[in-house]
């Protein structure tokens, strides 16, 4: 009977300790029930695995959303590990530009709004035509910068040491993901990392010192940016446009 009583007391004590730790938030952030399959990894280790997997993907699609003095910025990007790339960039009232980079050659095609800085006759002549962008074309510069996934992964990498694990959710992609948060100089960042298959980065939101190429204003450099990554390793071909 004494042995049974001791066992019961030990069980009760362990249960009480666990309940108190949970209530006080003292459980480690790698508790298996909250972070599988990354329970044995620290949050920074999980982020580093996600960065490595996303960098190594043969191809990826990215949807980028942010703001600039010219209005909302949206970009739809398809790119592969060789640097081939297509971008559709919308800059609010500034208009829309398409960019194709293949074989080291870049061509852009703009709508009339994007060409508004040209004279009326030039705008009519150039609208919808594939052209080689000039070095002064800041919109083309921005679109091509988005071709490189490192533009975004490189912003997260130095902040991975601040990572903390959150809950496992299913973001817009429908793929189960672990949410990880961390700190930046301007607030915090949030990342969703796939828990099914390879640990790809599915979504990233942060306040980066990212110049958008549209002006030198501070609002241009610190606007929050959200990037959704999808279609990893899917076949992708950037066809060279006809002039």
């Amino acid at each position: 009977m004494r042995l049974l009583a001791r066992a019961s007391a030990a069980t009760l004590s362990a249960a009480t300790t666990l309940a108190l730790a949970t209530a006080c938030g003292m459980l480690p952030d790698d508790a298996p029930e909250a972070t599988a399959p990354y329970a044995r990894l620290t949050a920074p280790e999980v982020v580093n695995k996600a960065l490595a997997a996303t960098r190594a993907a043969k191809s990826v699609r990215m949807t980028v959303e942010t703001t600039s003095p010219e209005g909302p910025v949206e970009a739809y990007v398809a790119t592969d590990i060789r640097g081939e790339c297509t971008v559709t960039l919308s800059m609010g009232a500034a208009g829309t530009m398409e960019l194709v980079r293949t074989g080291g050659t870049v061509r852009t095609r703009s709508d009339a709004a994007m060409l508004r800085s040209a004279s009326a006759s030039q705008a009519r002549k150039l609208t919808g035509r594939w052209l080689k962008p000039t070095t002064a074309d800041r919109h083309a510069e921005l679109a091509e910068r988005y071709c490189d996934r490192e533009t975004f992964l490189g912003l997260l990498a130095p902040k991975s040491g601040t990572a903390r694990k959150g809950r496992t959710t299913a973001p817009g992609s429908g793929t189960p993901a672990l949410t990880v948060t961390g700190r930046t100089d301007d607030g915090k960042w949030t990342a969703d990392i796939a828990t099914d298959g390879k640990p790809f980065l599915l979504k990233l939101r942060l306040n980066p010192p990212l110049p958008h190429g549209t002006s030198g204003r501070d609002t241009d450099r610190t606007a929050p940016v959200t990037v959704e990554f999808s279609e990893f390793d899917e076949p992708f071909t950037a066809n060279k446009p006809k002039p």
Side-chain angles (χ1 to χ4, degrees):
M1 292 296 291
R2 288 183 178 179
L3 182 59
L4 179 60
R6 289 177 181 175
S8 299
T11 301
L12 178 61
S13 175
T16 302
T17 300
L18 178 61
L20 288 173
T22 302
C24 296
M26 295 172 61
L27 285 176
D29 68 352
D30 59 353
E33 63 273 20
T35 61
Y38 304 124
R40 297 183 180 277
L41 299 177
T42 66
E45 288 173 338
V46 175
V47 174
N48 290 333
K49 282 179 69 71
L51 288 169
T54 306
R55 285 181 173 126
K58 294 179 181 179
S59 63
V60 65
R61 267 68 168 176
M62 297 182 289
T63 300
V64 184
E65 294 183 354
T66 184
T67 59
S68 79
E70 295 173 284
V73 178
E74 293 183 345
Y76 301 94
V77 184
T79 185
D80 66 17
I81 204 165
R82 301 169 301 168
E84 306 285 281
C85 179
T86 64
V87 182
T88 300
L89 174 68
S90 174
M91 299 284 293
T96 298
M97 168 183 286
E98 296 174 79
L99 178 143
V100 174
R101 185 174 71 188
T102 181
T105 299
V106 176
R107 292 289 184 271
T108 60
R109 180 169 65 181
S110 303
D111 64 9
M114 189 67 80
L115 293 166
R116 72 186 185 282
S117 59
S119 67
S121 60
Q122 288 178 315
R124 285 195 298 269
K125 182 179 179 180
L126 300 179
T127 297
R129 289 184 55 188
W130 288 102
L131 306 167
K132 183 178 180 180
T134 67
T135 55
D137 191 334
R138 64 187 187 277
H139 295 124
E141 179 187 358
L142 174 62
E144 188 175 5
R145 187 183 304 134
Y146 284 175
C147 280
D148 187 358
R149 68 191 84 173
E150 193 61 30
T151 296
F152 308 105
L153 303 183
L155 294 171
L156 175 59
K159 308 296 184 182
S160 64
T162 69
R164 291 189 61 83
K165 294 179 186 176
R167 296 186 176 277
T168 301
T169 60
S173 65
T175 302
L178 172 67
T179 297
V180 182
T181 60
R183 298 186 305 278
T184 70
D185 295 338
D186 301 307
K188 71 175 185 178
W189 57 263
T190 302
D192 291 332
I193 299 169
T195 58
D196 227 1
K198 294 182 181 180
F200 290 127
L201 180 62
L202 301 180
K203 189 172 183 178
L204 173 65
R205 176 178 167 79
L206 74 171
N207 298 330
L210 177 66
H212 293 306
T214 54
S215 77
R217 301 180 187 180
D218 290 342
T219 55
D220 224 16
R221 297 178 54 82
T222 59
V225 59
T226 299
V227 188
E228 293 191 26
F229 302 84
S230 63
E231 298 185 47
F232 299 94
D233 296 325
E234 293 293 325
F236 165 70
T237 301
N239 296 314
K240 185 176 180 178
K242 296 180 181 179

